[in-house]
Amino acid sequence: MFVRQLFDRETSTYTYLIADEVSNEAAIIDPVKEQLDRDILLIEQLGFNLKYTLETHVHADHITSSGQIRDKFGSKVVLHENSGAKCADMLLKDGDELTLGDIVIKAIHTPGHTNADLSFLVEDYVFTGDALLVRDCGRTDFQAGSSSTLYNSINEKIFSLDEKTTIYPGHDYYGFTASTVKEEKLFNNRLGNGKTEDEFVEIMANLDLALPRKIKESVPGNTNCGL
Ligand SMILES: [Fe+2]
C-alpha cells in the first residue's frame, strides 16, 4: 500500500495520499486549499486514479480543496453524517467501509473534538484527524466538542486497535510525523499512561486556547467543500 504524508506549514496540517498500487486507485485525506496545485501535480505524476477525498472532520483552521479536487478528478467527497456538509457525495457512519482496489478503508466515528470526526483505519495505519495527535489531542471547546466523548472515543476505538498500528495525525506542532497505538497509550500527555476521564476533562478545561485565526471562514467554507 502507498502512503505519503504531506504538510501545510502555515496551518501545521497533514494531508495524506494513499493508494492501492495494483489498481492505482487512490484517496486523499484532508487536503488544504493552498496546496491544491502541489497535490494535483503529485497525483498526476504518480498516475493515480483519485476516487475519494476523505475528510476527518469539518476543519476550523484551514479550508479544504475537496470541491476543486472533485472538479479535477471526479473524486467523491466523503465526510461523517453529522458534518452538515451539503456538498458531500457520501456521508459515512461508524463502521462503513470504502475500497481502493483490494484495500479496505474502515470509517471509525471518533467524536469529541467535534461531533463529526472520523478516523480511517487502513491496513496497519489509522488516520486520526484531530481526535488523537502525537502526544496530544484536538481541542474540545467548539464545534459540538466534548472532552468526555473524546476520552471514550480514543480509549474505546483507537487504543483498542492493534498496538503496532501506525497513527497518522491531522496536525503536528512539535515536529512529530507519526506514532503508534502502543506509544500513545504509554506516552500521550493528555490521555496516556492510564489517565482517568476526570483527569482528562480537567486538563482540557484548563487549556485556555485562542480561537483559530481562520475559524469564521473555515467552518462554513468546509461544509461547502471549500467552494
Ligand atoms: Fe480540527
Side-chain angles (χ1 to χ4, degrees), residues 201-218:
V201 168
E202 168 91 24
I203 290 168
M204 298 306 287
N206 290 299
L207 290 180
D208 201 23
L209 299 168
L211 284 180
R213 240 173 344 107
K214 298 187 190 175
I215 188 168
K216 279 212 179 76
E217 62 264 38
S218 292

Side-chain angles (χ1 to χ4, degrees), residues 5 7 12 14 134 171-178:
Q5 184 181 51
F7 192 56
S12 300
Y14 283 128
V134 181
H171 290 284
D172 185 82
Y173 307 98
Y174 312 108
F176 293 118
T177 54

Side-chain angles (χ1 to χ4, degrees), residues 57 59-61 113 130 171:
H57 60 299
H59 306 281
D61 62 326
H113 169 58
D130 294 1
H171 290 284

Side-chain angles (χ1 to χ4, degrees), residues 147-149 151-152 155 194-202:
S147 300
S148 291
T149 303
Y151 182 86
N152 290 309
N155 276 283
K195 284 264 190 320
T196 66
E197 184 175 334
D198 286 348
E199 287 172 320
F200 178 67
V201 168
E202 168 91 24

